[in-house]
Amino acid sequence: QVQLVHSGAEVKKPGASVKVSCKASGYTFIGYYMHWVRQAPGQGLEWMGWINPHSGDTKYAEKFQGRVTMTRDTSISTVYMELSRLTPDDTAVYYCARSVVCSSSSCYAGFDIWGHGTRVAVSS
Amino acid sequence: AIQLTQSPSSLSASVGDRVTITCRAGQGISSSLAWYQQKPGKPPKLLINDVSDLESGVPSRFSGSGSGTDFTLTISSLQPEDFATYYCQQFNTYPLTFGGGTKVEIK
């Protein structure tokens, strides 16, 4: 079946970086875009950006520009999200989620498949 | 960024009730709106795409409507498994944004 499987929970110190992975299975990996969305404890959903697994192109939310890097390894159908210069405000569950193609100005659908999420805690 | 304002932020309802949740966008987003359901400890689940297109497997008691800036999610007859938090999302303009959520609780 179609699924996205995340790497395990992380605990980081302020100022550190975290790299979270999301492995896709059950569909053509390069045929869909992959987004990252985070959710702080008890809070709503925040979109961070997407990666086109076929080309490696990325689009980041301005809020995270300079601090986030999304990459992929097509040989193992896995996308990665690295967030640097962590602060306690980055404590959240980080989800990968799939969508159909996006353009430079918009996307064309919502996110139909979500991973179970990776919990990242940032604390001194 | 396009702000999405959901109302109410929470509601209490009984099984069998008709429930309506609204989502207002700060500017026009055409039909680029999706609705999600999230239960505690789980990822969101896509219910409706493009304002009113029900995802495969989603019960027909869920429906969406609206255009431009004002959108609604309706549950025609609330079932026990529908108690959850619901989010709208616009995918018309970057950054993609979500509404603040509506928590549907048991009365």
Side-chain angles (χ1 to χ4, degrees):
Chain A
Q1 73 280 26
V2 176
Q3 61 177 351
L4 302 172
V5 178
H6 282 258
S7 49
E10 302 266 9
V11 179
K12 295 292 183 181
K13 301 276 191 207
S17 298
V18 67
K19 190 172 186 177
V20 177
S21 69
C22 166
K23 182 175 176 62
S25 62
Y27 72 95
T28 302
F29 177 65
I30 61 172
Y32 293 82
Y33 280 44
M34 199 74 81
H35 301 254
W36 288 90
V37 176
R38 75 178 187 179
Q39 186 170 37
Q43 301 301 307
L45 302 164
E46 183 175 33
W47 179 78
M48 300 179 69
W50 56 247
I51 182 167
N52 175 350
H54 177 66
S55 64
D57 289 344
T58 55
K59 179 78 171 178
Y60 302 141
E62 191 171 330
K63 174 177 178 176
F64 299 101
Q65 283 276 4
R67 216 162 58 93
V68 70
T69 304
M70 298 177 189
T71 56
R72 92 296 191 207
D73 184 339
T74 56
S75 69
I76 55 171
S77 300
T78 299
V79 296
Y80 303 90
M81 186 284 299
E82 184 170 20
L83 190 62
S84 63
R85 304 194 300 277
L86 294 169
T87 74
D89 288 343
D90 294 314
T91 294
V93 175
Y94 288 77
Y95 294 103
C96 61
R98 185 186 84 164
S99 83
V100 296
V101 66
C102 297
S103 73
S104 59
S105 59
S106 69
C107 290
Y108 297 105
F111 306 157
D112 65 340
I113 303 294
W114 293 64
H116 55 83
T118 294
R119 191 170 302 273
V120 175
V122 184
S123 173
S124 54
Chain B
I2 295 178
Q3 185 171 359
L4 297 180
T5 303
Q6 282 185 239
S7 60
S9 56
S10 66
L11 64 89
S12 294
S14 300
V15 172
D17 283 354
R18 182 182 182 88
V19 168
T20 299
I21 298 168
T22 67
C23 177
R24 174 163 289 175
Q27 63 189 72
I29 56 171
S30 185
S31 61
S32 302
L33 188 99
W35 289 97
Y36 298 87
Q37 176 193 67
Q38 187 178 32
K39 297 182 178 179
K42 300 292 187 182
K45 174 187 175 183
L46 180 63
L47 298 176
I48 289 173
N49 225 338
D50 291 328
V51 176
S52 59
D53 291 344
L54 208 62
E55 284 293 289
S56 175
V58 175
S60 59
R61 62 180 179 273
F62 290 92
S63 64
S65 64
S67 64
T69 60
D70 294 315
F71 304 89
T72 60
L73 172 70
T74 299
I75 309 172
S76 60
S77 178
L78 199 64
Q79 297 302 300
E81 60 268 30
D82 301 337
F83 292 95
T85 300
Y86 294 84
Y87 294 94
C88 57
Q89 178 209 22
Q90 68 82 18
F91 46 87
N92 184 76
T93 304
Y94 297 124
L96 308 189
T97 50
F98 293 86
T102 296
K103 187 173 185 179
V104 177
E105 298 175 301
I106 301 173
K107 181 183 283 185

